Amino acid sequence: MLIPNDLVNISTGVAKLKETFKIFVNQWDSFDVVLQHDPLRNCYFITDGWEKVVHYMGLQTGAILVLRYVGDYIFQLTVFDLNGCESVAPKANDSPKGDTSSPN
């Protein structure tokens, strides 16, 4: 997932980029991810762990993602579906059967 330079520079700061961040998908579930700089495109990406967020939330192409930096290496993710309605993340114990991608 592409992260604008301004978000990184203003909220997290370049010095924190080697740290693991948490993305909360609701009040109780979070995933560990890493921000990585791409010097060729001069932008940042969420790497390591983002796939788990996508799978857990059931994200589809066209969904609108709002990522808010809360502080202390924590982001809050809000997802809106194609109709503009907020998608609610399931609780860990409500995950589909056989789902092994439960959050941290």
Side-chain angles (χ1 to χ4, degrees), residues 9-10 14 25 36-37 40 43 47 49-50 55 61 74 91 102 104:
N9 293 335
I10 292 170
V14 176
V25 295
Q36 183 175 13
H37 184 248
L40 295 176
C43 59
T47 61
W50 179 244
H55 178 73
T61 302
I74 298 172
K91 290 183 181 179
S102 61
N104 298 325

Side-chain angles (χ1 to χ4, degrees), residues 1 23 33 46-54 59 65 77:
M1 179 174 160
I23 292 182
V33 297
I46 295 178
T47 61
D48 303 340
W50 179 244
E51 306 83 25
K52 291 180 182 180
V53 175
V54 170
L59 297 179
L65 308 178
L77 176 67

Side-chain angles (χ1 to χ4, degrees), residues 20-40:
T20 300
F21 288 79
K22 287 204 175 290
I23 292 182
F24 275 85
V25 295
N26 52 35
Q27 293 179 353
W28 45 85
D29 296 325
S30 67
F31 294 86
D32 291 338
V33 297
V34 175
L35 283 183
Q36 183 175 13
H37 184 248
D38 181 346
L40 295 176

